[in-house]
């Protein structure tokens, strides 16, 4: 009898350990796969390409050297693999983002590539909605002004000059890196007429976010830059305004983190005071830095550090949202766990008392699976009213494909 009880106890303890109950939760979140057919899923970007009020996805598969789009299949089929299309062959692709650059109503995709490629590809979408998932109907071209210019990391569409449709901001990495913008010509399809305008030097751009930081009615650029150098840290660049004003300098304003290897970041009102703050995860000391905004002009900030638990891997991504529906914002964190055992790739943290506290309660989402998670998006994937976690998990080669593009189903509401 005693032996039987001992075995049962050990079995129960194993279940507790592997499901995360000992970490203060009932179980890991259920993982659903959107696509794991290729190698090197590197970031997820969202928009509604077909007007059904459901978010669709584009992703660059870095090791595979292609960019794909995925159309949300509807809430009843969202837990299955999604329909997709290859929109372009994009070697060493680091980032892909949606944008209707030619104003035809069909949502195109911009692909930024690094490595030996060092180009930005414009992947033109077919004009007829029925052809959107037909790879043969997409056209892919290199943007001449980007060709072999930099190791391009990220792009974000923005109407900068008030003319000719969407322009876009782009950032790069390494010694010649810059953040700047590509100006759309009268005919955006004439790629040779697009012009590059530098804004500010960079070392290794991790984030590009658009936000009106000084409350003057236009969008400014917020960025995190990870490697040592004059541009390291979190800062924002002040938009001088449209038209002729674009010839003026974009003033640079440091927010903080210049002494850390800052990774991905988010902008949100974490403390509920009506001002959007900057939240970044950092690799140097394995912390989340909460940079609290102190004024509406974005010129005064105060830094607080939030501890990451031992279970977390190396800092990678961060996203802010109300995960448990209590009306208070939480933090979702992704990590690189390569070479580490029993580390969680994705966790979420909830406040004990105040946003400025260093100790938050933590909760495991993914458990010890995968090893290199990336950017995070928080959205209601299945239409049940809560925020799920959309991310991807890449690898470095082709021997194993990693988890691919995945989402974790929120079980809390």
């Amino acid at each position: 009898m005693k032996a039987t009880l001992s075995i049962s106890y050990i079995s129960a303890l194993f279940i507790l350990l592997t499901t995360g109950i000992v970490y203060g939760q009932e179980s890991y979140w259920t993982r659903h796969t959107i696509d794991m057919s290729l190698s090197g899923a590197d970031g997820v970007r969202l928009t509604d390409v077909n007007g059904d009020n459901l978010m669709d996805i584009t992703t660059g598969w870095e090791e595979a050297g292609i960019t794909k789009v995925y159309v949300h299949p509807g809430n009843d089929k969202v837990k299955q693999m999604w329909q997709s299309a290859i929109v372009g062959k994009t070697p060493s692709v680091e980032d892909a983002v949606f944008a209707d650059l030619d104003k035809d109503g069909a949502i195109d995709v911009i692909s930024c590539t690094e490595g030996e490629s060092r180009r930005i590809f414009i992947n033109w979408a077919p004009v007829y909605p029925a052809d959107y998932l037909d790879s043969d109907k997409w056209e892919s071209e290199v943007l001449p002004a980007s060709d072999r210019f930099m190791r391009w990391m990220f792009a974000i569409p923005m109407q900068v000059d008030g003319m000719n449709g969407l322009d876009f901001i782009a950032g790069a990495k390494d010694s010649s890196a810059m953040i700047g913008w590509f100006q759309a010509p009268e005919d955006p399809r004439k790629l040779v007429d697009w012009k590059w305008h530098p804004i500010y030097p960079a070392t290794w751009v991790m984030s590009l976010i658009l936000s009106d930081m000084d409350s003057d009615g236009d969008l400014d650029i917020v960025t995190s830059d990870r490697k040592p150098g004059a541009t390291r840290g979190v800062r924002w660049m002040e938009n001088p305004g449209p038209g002729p004003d674009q010839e003026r300098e974009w003033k640079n304003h440091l927010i903080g983190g210049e002494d850390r290897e800052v990774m991905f970041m988010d902008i949100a009102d974490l403390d509920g005071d009506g001002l959007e703050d900057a939240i970044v995860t950092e690799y140097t000391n394995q912390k989340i830095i909460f940079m609290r905004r102190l004024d509406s002009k974005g010129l005064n900030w105060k830094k607080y550090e939030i501890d990451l638990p031992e279970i977390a891997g190396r800092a990678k991504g961060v996203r802010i949202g109300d995960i448990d529906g209590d009306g208070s914002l939480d933090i979702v964190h992704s990590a690189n766990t390569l070479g580490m055992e029993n580390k969680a790739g994705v966790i979420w943290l909830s406040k004990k008392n105040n946003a400025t506290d260093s100790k938050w309660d933590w909760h495991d989402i993914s458990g010890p699976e995968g090893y290199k998670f990336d950017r995070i998006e928080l959205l209601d994937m299945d239409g049940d009213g809560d925020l799920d976690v959309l991310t991807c998990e890449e690898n470095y080669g082709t021997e194993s494909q990693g988890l691919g593009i995945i989402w974790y189903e929120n079980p809390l509401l």
Side-chain angles (χ1 to χ4, degrees), residues 35-44 57-70 84-97 109-114 117 119 121-123 135 138 140 392 394 398 401 405:
D35 185 9
M36 60 178 301
S37 63
L38 297 165
S39 177
D42 205 351
V44 285
I57 300 169
T58 185
T59 296
W61 293 81
E62 185 172 6
E63 276 73 33
I66 64 169
T67 297
K68 295 184 75 173
V69 296
Y70 303 82
S84 63
I86 296 172
V87 304
K89 294 181 179 179
T90 52
S92 301
V93 58
E94 181 65 26
D95 176 59
V97 63
V109 176
I110 304 167
S111 297
C112 293
T113 71
E114 52 158 344
S117 179
R119 298 179 175 99
F121 291 80
I122 309 299
N123 306 289
S135 296
W138 285 75
S140 185
C392 61
E394 62 172 314
T398 57
Q401 295 174 325
I405 305 170

Side-chain angles (χ1 to χ4, degrees), residues 312-314 335-341 343-345 369-373:
R314 302 180 186 93
N336 183 345
T337 63
L338 181 63
M340 309 170 74
E341 293 186 1
K343 297 290 187 179
E369 64 172 9
Y371 68 76
K372 191 183 180 187
F373 291 85

Side-chain angles (χ1 to χ4, degrees), residues 210-222 236-239 253 267 273-277 293-301:
L210 301 181
S211 180
D212 184 2
M213 298 295 288
D214 49 3
S215 305
D216 66 351
D218 58 25
L219 291 175
D220 308 297
I221 301 169
V222 189
W236 66 277
M237 281 141 274
E238 183 179 344
N239 190 338
H253 303 280
I267 295 287
D273 66 353
L275 299 173
E276 284 195 325
D277 310 299
R293 187 202 298 247
L294 302 180
D295 67 355
S296 62
K297 293 298 182 180
L299 299 178
N300 296 291
W301 303 79

Side-chain angles (χ1 to χ4, degrees), residues 126-365:
V127 68
Y128 297 109
D131 294 333
Y132 201 79
L133 291 179
D134 185 344
S135 296
D136 293 335
K137 299 295 176 62
W138 285 75
E139 301 176 27
S140 185
E141 297 182 272
V142 173
L143 183 64
S146 74
D147 194 8
R148 307 289 182 176
F149 190 23
M150 299 181 199
R151 297 178 68 182
W152 300 103
M153 293 293 289
F154 294 101
I156 188 165
M158 175 182 176
Q159 175 49 264
V160 180
D161 59 1
M163 304 184 297
N164 299 331
L166 275 178
D167 313 294
F168 66 91
I169 310 296
K173 72 177 185 180
D174 286 347
S175 58
S176 61
M178 297 286 295
I179 294 172
W181 64 286
F182 286 96
Q183 183 179 26
E186 184 175 356
D187 180 359
R189 283 277 187 162
K190 290 185 178 179
L191 292 186
V192 70
D193 291 340
W194 284 71
K195 294 180 180 179
W196 164 255
H197 301 274
I199 293 175
Y200 193 74
T203 306
W204 188 322
V205 172
M206 289 297 296
S207 301
L208 286 176
I209 299 173
L210 301 181
S211 180
D212 184 2
M213 298 295 288
D214 49 3
S215 305
D216 66 351
D218 58 25
L219 291 175
D220 308 297
I221 301 169
V222 189
T223 185
S224 57
D225 194 318
R226 67 182 288 187
K227 290 298 184 180
T231 64
R232 191 183 207 182
V234 176
R235 62 189 68 242
W236 66 277
M237 281 141 274
E238 183 179 344
N239 190 338
D245 286 342
Q246 278 301 324
E247 300 300 322
R248 295 190 290 112
E249 177 188 1
W250 293 53
K251 293 181 181 178
N252 165 62
H253 303 280
L254 179 67
I255 296 175
E258 67 274 24
D259 58 339
R260 309 290 179 88
E261 186 173 357
V262 294
M263 304 297 282
F264 290 117
M265 66 171 294
D266 200 1
I267 295 287
D269 181 9
L270 191 61
D271 58 356
D273 66 353
L275 299 173
E276 284 195 325
D277 310 299
I279 303 94
V280 63
T281 186
E282 58 93 1
Y283 199 90
T284 306
N285 297 323
Q286 287 293 101
K287 305 279 186 179
I288 294 171
I289 307 177
F290 166 33
M291 300 173 189
R292 182 171 179 259
R293 187 202 298 247
L294 302 180
D295 67 355
S296 62
K297 293 298 182 180
L299 299 178
N300 296 291
W301 303 79
K302 187 172 181 179
K303 182 183 75 174
Y304 299 89
E305 294 184 352
I306 298 171
D307 295 337
L308 284 170
E310 288 293 328
I311 195 68
R314 302 180 186 93
K316 191 69 186 289
V318 67
R319 204 72 169 178
I320 310 303
D322 183 3
I323 297 300
D324 52 5
D326 66 353
S328 179
L329 289 180
D330 308 300
I331 300 172
V332 179
H333 185 271
S334 66
N336 183 345
T337 63
L338 181 63
M340 309 170 74
E341 293 186 1
N342 299 318
K343 297 290 187 179
V346 186
I347 63 172
W348 72 281
L349 300 98
S350 54
K351 288 191 287 285
K352 289 177 178 290
N353 295 299
N354 300 312
T356 55
D357 294 340
S358 62
K359 302 294 184 184
W360 288 40
D361 290 324
W362 66 271
H363 319 267
D364 199 344
I365 291 176

Side-chain angles (χ1 to χ4, degrees), residues 29 332 346 365 376-378 387-391 406-408:
W29 292 19
V332 179
V346 186
I365 291 176
I376 302 163
E377 295 286 353
L378 302 181
L387 290 176
D388 306 299
V389 176
L390 172 66
T391 187
I406 51 179
W407 65 279
Y408 291 96

